Amino acid sequence: IFWWNLYFLQLIPKIRHWNNKKFHRMLGRFLLTILLIQNITGFALAATSHSNIIKLVSYVLCIATIICIVQAWRYAYWRDIPKHKYWVLRLVGYMHTISLQRFWLGILIMSHAFGWNGLYPKLDWDESTDDEWISMTEQMFDDSFILCILTAILTTEWYLAAEGGMTETPVNNRNNGEKEEDEVNHVFNGGEGDGEGETAKNVDASSKGDSNKSVAEVFEMDQTQS
């Protein structure tokens, strides 16, 4: 309740900069603490479920969210604001898994109610048993968990990509690419390779000169001793 009613205040620039960001820091510490407790209790609650899908989705979401909490807190402590913002936005996106689960469950229920029976069997109110209705409801609930975490993660990645400028109009580098390709071809055709060959030849010549010089010095020492 605290998270969903207060987290949006952290995203409003005027409130975030109010009172020299003191309110923003205090509310941030409170929300991160509440969120950490919420995820720990959610992990324990998921362990009591009879559905493996609910367990696995809840465990993955809990671990991912706690990583975001730790990273957001760490970068806020060192006043590394760009990285703090990155992890906070990822945290907000992951936490929308909870609300998206309600959304997708409603979509699945409406799809069955309006006769879109491609996912679930058509049941008759009079002839179908209670066990059949319960089984279909549990299947809808499991499917909504899969859809909600996938939607939350994908939309978060797309939003962060847009924040990083990855969805802007492409920069035209085709002409530059042709120039770079010509330079690469020039190198492979020996344009700059000749210089490297000359360098290798000079190194070989100098090494031969050194070896000849050392032989001459040894010969002179023998002559002196004799």
Short mmCIF file of all heavy atoms in Angstrom, two decimals, residues 28-70:
data_model
loop_
_atom_site.label_atom_id
_atom_site.label_comp_id
_atom_site.label_asym_id
_atom_site.label_seq_id
_atom_site.Cartn_x
_atom_site.Cartn_y
_atom_site.Cartn_z
N GLY A 28 12.67 8.10 -0.14
CA GLY A 28 13.34 7.01 -0.85
C GLY A 28 13.80 5.92 0.10
O GLY A 28 13.62 4.72 -0.18
N ARG A 29 14.41 6.31 1.22
CA ARG A 29 14.85 5.30 2.20
C ARG A 29 13.66 4.52 2.75
O ARG A 29 13.73 3.30 2.93
CB ARG A 29 15.60 5.99 3.34
CG ARG A 29 16.89 6.67 2.92
CD ARG A 29 17.66 7.17 4.13
NE ARG A 29 18.81 7.96 3.74
CZ ARG A 29 18.85 9.30 3.80
NH1 ARG A 29 17.79 9.97 4.26
NH2 ARG A 29 19.94 9.95 3.41
N PHE A 30 12.56 5.24 3.01
CA PHE A 30 11.36 4.58 3.54
C PHE A 30 10.79 3.58 2.53
O PHE A 30 10.48 2.43 2.87
CB PHE A 30 10.32 5.64 3.88
CG PHE A 30 8.99 5.07 4.29
CD1 PHE A 30 8.81 4.50 5.54
CD2 PHE A 30 7.91 5.12 3.42
CE1 PHE A 30 7.58 3.97 5.91
CE2 PHE A 30 6.68 4.60 3.79
CZ PHE A 30 6.52 4.02 5.03
N LEU A 31 10.70 4.00 1.27
CA LEU A 31 10.11 3.13 0.24
C LEU A 31 10.98 1.91 -0.04
O LEU A 31 10.47 0.80 -0.22
CB LEU A 31 9.89 3.93 -1.05
CG LEU A 31 8.78 4.99 -1.01
CD1 LEU A 31 8.73 5.77 -2.31
CD2 LEU A 31 7.43 4.34 -0.72
N LEU A 32 12.28 2.10 -0.08
CA LEU A 32 13.16 0.96 -0.33
C LEU A 32 13.11 -0.05 0.82
O LEU A 32 13.15 -1.26 0.60
CB LEU A 32 14.60 1.44 -0.56
CG LEU A 32 14.86 2.20 -1.87
CD1 LEU A 32 16.32 2.63 -1.95
CD2 LEU A 32 14.49 1.35 -3.07
N THR A 33 12.99 0.46 2.05
CA THR A 33 12.87 -0.44 3.20
C THR A 33 11.56 -1.21 3.15
O THR A 33 11.53 -2.44 3.37
CB THR A 33 12.96 0.36 4.51
OG1 THR A 33 14.18 1.10 4.54
CG2 THR A 33 12.88 -0.56 5.71
N ILE A 34 10.47 -0.50 2.85
CA ILE A 34 9.17 -1.15 2.74
C ILE A 34 9.18 -2.20 1.63
O ILE A 34 8.65 -3.31 1.77
CB ILE A 34 8.07 -0.10 2.48
CG1 ILE A 34 7.85 0.77 3.72
CG2 ILE A 34 6.77 -0.76 2.04
CD1 ILE A 34 7.34 0.01 4.92
N LEU A 35 9.81 -1.85 0.51
CA LEU A 35 9.85 -2.77 -0.63
C LEU A 35 10.68 -4.01 -0.32
O LEU A 35 10.34 -5.12 -0.76
CB LEU A 35 10.43 -2.03 -1.84
CG LEU A 35 10.03 -2.55 -3.22
CD1 LEU A 35 8.51 -2.57 -3.35
CD2 LEU A 35 10.62 -1.69 -4.30
N LEU A 36 11.75 -3.83 0.44
CA LEU A 36 12.56 -4.98 0.82
C LEU A 36 11.76 -5.94 1.71
O LEU A 36 11.77 -7.17 1.51
CB LEU A 36 13.81 -4.50 1.55
CG LEU A 36 14.82 -5.58 1.97
CD1 LEU A 36 15.37 -6.31 0.75
CD2 LEU A 36 15.96 -4.96 2.78
N ILE A 37 11.03 -5.38 2.67
CA ILE A 37 10.18 -6.21 3.54
C ILE A 37 9.08 -6.89 2.73
O ILE A 37 8.78 -8.08 2.92
CB ILE A 37 9.56 -5.34 4.66
CG1 ILE A 37 10.66 -4.77 5.55
CG2 ILE A 37 8.56 -6.15 5.47
CD1 ILE A 37 10.16 -3.77 6.58
N GLN A 38 8.50 -6.16 1.78
CA GLN A 38 7.43 -6.72 0.95
C GLN A 38 7.93 -7.91 0.13
O GLN A 38 7.22 -8.91 -0.01
CB GLN A 38 6.89 -5.63 0.03
CG GLN A 38 5.82 -6.12 -0.93
CD GLN A 38 5.31 -5.00 -1.83
OE1 GLN A 38 5.32 -3.83 -1.45
NE2 GLN A 38 4.88 -5.36 -3.02
N ASN A 39 9.13 -7.81 -0.40
CA ASN A 39 9.65 -8.90 -1.22
C ASN A 39 10.02 -10.12 -0.38
O ASN A 39 9.84 -11.25 -0.83
CB ASN A 39 10.87 -8.41 -2.01
CG ASN A 39 10.49 -7.69 -3.27
OD1 ASN A 39 10.33 -8.30 -4.33
ND2 ASN A 39 10.33 -6.38 -3.19
N ILE A 40 10.54 -9.89 0.80
CA ILE A 40 10.88 -11.02 1.67
C ILE A 40 9.61 -11.77 2.09
O ILE A 40 9.56 -13.01 2.05
CB ILE A 40 11.67 -10.54 2.89
CG1 ILE A 40 13.03 -9.99 2.45
CG2 ILE A 40 11.85 -11.67 3.90
CD1 ILE A 40 13.83 -9.35 3.57
N THR A 41 8.59 -11.04 2.48
CA THR A 41 7.33 -11.68 2.87
C THR A 41 6.65 -12.32 1.66
O THR A 41 6.01 -13.38 1.78
CB THR A 41 6.39 -10.66 3.51
OG1 THR A 41 6.20 -9.54 2.62
CG2 THR A 41 6.96 -10.14 4.82
N GLY A 42 6.79 -11.69 0.47
CA GLY A 42 6.22 -12.28 -0.73
C GLY A 42 6.90 -13.59 -1.11
O GLY A 42 6.25 -14.54 -1.58
N PHE A 43 8.20 -13.66 -0.88
CA PHE A 43 8.95 -14.89 -1.12
C PHE A 43 8.43 -16.01 -0.22
O PHE A 43 8.22 -17.15 -0.66
CB PHE A 43 10.44 -14.65 -0.86
CG PHE A 43 11.33 -15.77 -1.30
CD1 PHE A 43 11.96 -15.73 -2.53
CD2 PHE A 43 11.55 -16.86 -0.47
CE1 PHE A 43 12.78 -16.76 -2.93
CE2 PHE A 43 12.38 -17.89 -0.86
CZ PHE A 43 13.00 -17.84 -2.10
N ALA A 44 8.21 -15.69 1.04
CA ALA A 44 7.70 -16.69 1.99
C ALA A 44 6.27 -17.09 1.66
O ALA A 44 5.90 -18.26 1.77
CB ALA A 44 7.78 -16.13 3.42
N LEU A 45 5.47 -16.13 1.22
CA LEU A 45 4.08 -16.44 0.87
C LEU A 45 4.01 -17.33 -0.36
O LEU A 45 3.17 -18.24 -0.44
CB LEU A 45 3.32 -15.14 0.62
CG LEU A 45 1.82 -15.28 0.30
CD1 LEU A 45 1.09 -15.91 1.48
CD2 LEU A 45 1.22 -13.91 -0.03
N ALA A 46 4.89 -17.08 -1.33
CA ALA A 46 4.90 -17.89 -2.55
C ALA A 46 5.26 -19.34 -2.25
O ALA A 46 4.82 -20.26 -2.94
CB ALA A 46 5.86 -17.31 -3.57
N ALA A 47 6.07 -19.55 -1.22
CA ALA A 47 6.48 -20.90 -0.87
C ALA A 47 5.30 -21.75 -0.41
O ALA A 47 5.37 -22.99 -0.44
CB ALA A 47 7.55 -20.85 0.22
N THR A 48 4.21 -21.13 0.02
CA THR A 48 3.04 -21.87 0.48
C THR A 48 2.08 -22.22 -0.66
O THR A 48 1.10 -22.93 -0.44
CB THR A 48 2.27 -21.05 1.52
OG1 THR A 48 1.79 -19.83 0.92
CG2 THR A 48 3.18 -20.69 2.69
N SER A 49 2.35 -21.74 -1.86
CA SER A 49 1.46 -21.99 -3.00
C SER A 49 1.62 -23.42 -3.50
O SER A 49 2.70 -24.02 -3.43
CB SER A 49 1.76 -21.00 -4.12
OG SER A 49 0.97 -21.30 -5.27
N HIS A 50 0.54 -23.96 -4.05
CA HIS A 50 0.58 -25.30 -4.64
C HIS A 50 0.97 -25.26 -6.12
O HIS A 50 1.15 -26.32 -6.72
CB HIS A 50 -0.79 -25.98 -4.49
CG HIS A 50 -1.21 -26.16 -3.06
ND1 HIS A 50 -0.61 -27.07 -2.21
CD2 HIS A 50 -2.17 -25.53 -2.32
CE1 HIS A 50 -1.19 -27.02 -1.02
NE2 HIS A 50 -2.14 -26.09 -1.06
N SER A 51 1.08 -24.06 -6.67
CA SER A 51 1.42 -23.92 -8.09
C SER A 51 2.91 -23.68 -8.26
O SER A 51 3.47 -22.76 -7.67
CB SER A 51 0.63 -22.75 -8.71
OG SER A 51 1.10 -22.47 -10.02
N ASN A 52 3.55 -24.52 -9.07
CA ASN A 52 4.98 -24.33 -9.33
C ASN A 52 5.24 -23.06 -10.12
O ASN A 52 6.27 -22.41 -9.93
CB ASN A 52 5.53 -25.53 -10.11
CG ASN A 52 5.58 -26.79 -9.26
OD1 ASN A 52 5.71 -26.71 -8.03
ND2 ASN A 52 5.50 -27.94 -9.89
N ILE A 53 4.32 -22.70 -11.00
CA ILE A 53 4.50 -21.48 -11.80
C ILE A 53 4.49 -20.25 -10.90
O ILE A 53 5.32 -19.35 -11.03
CB ILE A 53 3.40 -21.38 -12.87
CG1 ILE A 53 3.57 -22.49 -13.91
CG2 ILE A 53 3.41 -20.01 -13.54
CD1 ILE A 53 2.51 -22.51 -14.99
N ILE A 54 3.55 -20.20 -9.97
CA ILE A 54 3.49 -19.05 -9.05
C ILE A 54 4.75 -19.00 -8.20
O ILE A 54 5.30 -17.92 -7.96
CB ILE A 54 2.23 -19.16 -8.16
CG1 ILE A 54 0.97 -19.00 -9.01
CG2 ILE A 54 2.26 -18.11 -7.05
CD1 ILE A 54 -0.32 -19.15 -8.24
N LYS A 55 5.24 -20.14 -7.75
CA LYS A 55 6.46 -20.17 -6.97
C LYS A 55 7.65 -19.64 -7.76
O LYS A 55 8.38 -18.76 -7.30
CB LYS A 55 6.74 -21.59 -6.49
CG LYS A 55 5.83 -22.10 -5.38
CD LYS A 55 6.24 -23.50 -4.97
CE LYS A 55 5.35 -24.01 -3.86
NZ LYS A 55 5.72 -25.39 -3.45
N LEU A 56 7.84 -20.17 -8.95
CA LEU A 56 9.02 -19.81 -9.74
C LEU A 56 8.98 -18.34 -10.15
O LEU A 56 9.99 -17.63 -10.06
CB LEU A 56 9.10 -20.70 -10.99
CG LEU A 56 9.37 -22.19 -10.71
CD1 LEU A 56 9.31 -22.99 -12.00
CD2 LEU A 56 10.72 -22.37 -10.03
N VAL A 57 7.83 -17.87 -10.62
CA VAL A 57 7.71 -16.46 -11.02
C VAL A 57 7.96 -15.55 -9.82
O VAL A 57 8.66 -14.52 -9.93
CB VAL A 57 6.33 -16.19 -11.65
CG1 VAL A 57 6.11 -14.69 -11.84
CG2 VAL A 57 6.20 -16.91 -12.98
N SER A 58 7.41 -15.89 -8.68
CA SER A 58 7.58 -15.07 -7.48
C SER A 58 9.03 -15.06 -7.02
O SER A 58 9.56 -14.01 -6.63
CB SER A 58 6.68 -15.59 -6.36
OG SER A 58 5.31 -15.54 -6.73
N TYR A 59 9.70 -16.20 -7.09
CA TYR A 59 11.10 -16.27 -6.68
C TYR A 59 11.99 -15.41 -7.60
O TYR A 59 12.85 -14.66 -7.12
CB TYR A 59 11.59 -17.72 -6.70
CG TYR A 59 10.94 -18.62 -5.69
CD1 TYR A 59 11.00 -20.01 -5.82
CD2 TYR A 59 10.24 -18.10 -4.60
CE1 TYR A 59 10.40 -20.85 -4.89
CE2 TYR A 59 9.63 -18.93 -3.68
CZ TYR A 59 9.71 -20.30 -3.82
OH TYR A 59 9.11 -21.12 -2.90
N VAL A 60 11.77 -15.55 -8.90
CA VAL A 60 12.56 -14.77 -9.86
C VAL A 60 12.33 -13.27 -9.67
O VAL A 60 13.28 -12.47 -9.66
CB VAL A 60 12.22 -15.19 -11.30
CG1 VAL A 60 12.85 -14.24 -12.31
CG2 VAL A 60 12.71 -16.61 -11.57
N LEU A 61 11.07 -12.89 -9.52
CA LEU A 61 10.75 -11.47 -9.32
C LEU A 61 11.35 -10.95 -8.03
O LEU A 61 11.88 -9.83 -7.98
CB LEU A 61 9.23 -11.28 -9.31
CG LEU A 61 8.74 -9.85 -9.07
CD1 LEU A 61 9.22 -8.92 -10.18
CD2 LEU A 61 7.22 -9.81 -8.95
N CYS A 62 11.30 -11.74 -6.97
CA CYS A 62 11.84 -11.32 -5.68
C CYS A 62 13.35 -11.09 -5.77
O CYS A 62 13.85 -10.06 -5.31
CB CYS A 62 11.53 -12.37 -4.63
SG CYS A 62 12.20 -12.00 -3.00
N ILE A 63 14.07 -12.01 -6.38
CA ILE A 63 15.52 -11.88 -6.50
C ILE A 63 15.89 -10.67 -7.36
O ILE A 63 16.77 -9.88 -7.00
CB ILE A 63 16.12 -13.17 -7.08
CG1 ILE A 63 15.94 -14.33 -6.09
CG2 ILE A 63 17.59 -12.98 -7.40
CD1 ILE A 63 16.30 -15.68 -6.66
N ALA A 64 15.20 -10.52 -8.49
CA ALA A 64 15.48 -9.39 -9.39
C ALA A 64 15.20 -8.06 -8.71
O ALA A 64 15.96 -7.08 -8.85
CB ALA A 64 14.67 -9.52 -10.67
N THR A 65 14.11 -8.00 -7.95
CA THR A 65 13.74 -6.76 -7.27
C THR A 65 14.73 -6.41 -6.16
O THR A 65 15.10 -5.23 -6.00
CB THR A 65 12.32 -6.88 -6.70
OG1 THR A 65 11.41 -7.24 -7.74
CG2 THR A 65 11.88 -5.56 -6.08
N ILE A 66 15.16 -7.39 -5.41
CA ILE A 66 16.13 -7.12 -4.33
C ILE A 66 17.45 -6.63 -4.90
O ILE A 66 18.10 -5.73 -4.34
CB ILE A 66 16.32 -8.38 -3.48
CG1 ILE A 66 15.06 -8.66 -2.66
CG2 ILE A 66 17.53 -8.23 -2.54
CD1 ILE A 66 15.12 -9.92 -1.82
N ILE A 67 17.87 -7.18 -6.05
CA ILE A 67 19.09 -6.68 -6.71
C ILE A 67 18.93 -5.22 -7.08
O ILE A 67 19.84 -4.40 -6.88
CB ILE A 67 19.41 -7.54 -7.94
CG1 ILE A 67 19.83 -8.94 -7.52
CG2 ILE A 67 20.50 -6.88 -8.78
CD1 ILE A 67 20.02 -9.90 -8.67
N CYS A 68 17.76 -4.86 -7.61
CA CYS A 68 17.51 -3.46 -7.96
C CYS A 68 17.52 -2.56 -6.73
O CYS A 68 18.04 -1.43 -6.77
CB CYS A 68 16.16 -3.33 -8.68
SG CYS A 68 16.10 -4.08 -10.32
N ILE A 69 16.96 -3.04 -5.62
CA ILE A 69 16.94 -2.26 -4.38
C ILE A 69 18.36 -1.99 -3.89
O ILE A 69 18.71 -0.86 -3.53
CB ILE A 69 16.12 -2.99 -3.30
CG1 ILE A 69 14.64 -3.04 -3.69
CG2 ILE A 69 16.28 -2.31 -1.95
CD1 ILE A 69 13.80 -3.92 -2.78
N VAL A 70 19.17 -3.03 -3.87
CA VAL A 70 20.56 -2.89 -3.40
C VAL A 70 21.34 -1.93 -4.28
O VAL A 70 22.05 -1.04 -3.79
CB VAL A 70 21.24 -4.26 -3.34
CG1 VAL A 70 22.73 -4.11 -3.03
CG2 VAL A 70 20.57 -5.15 -2.30
#
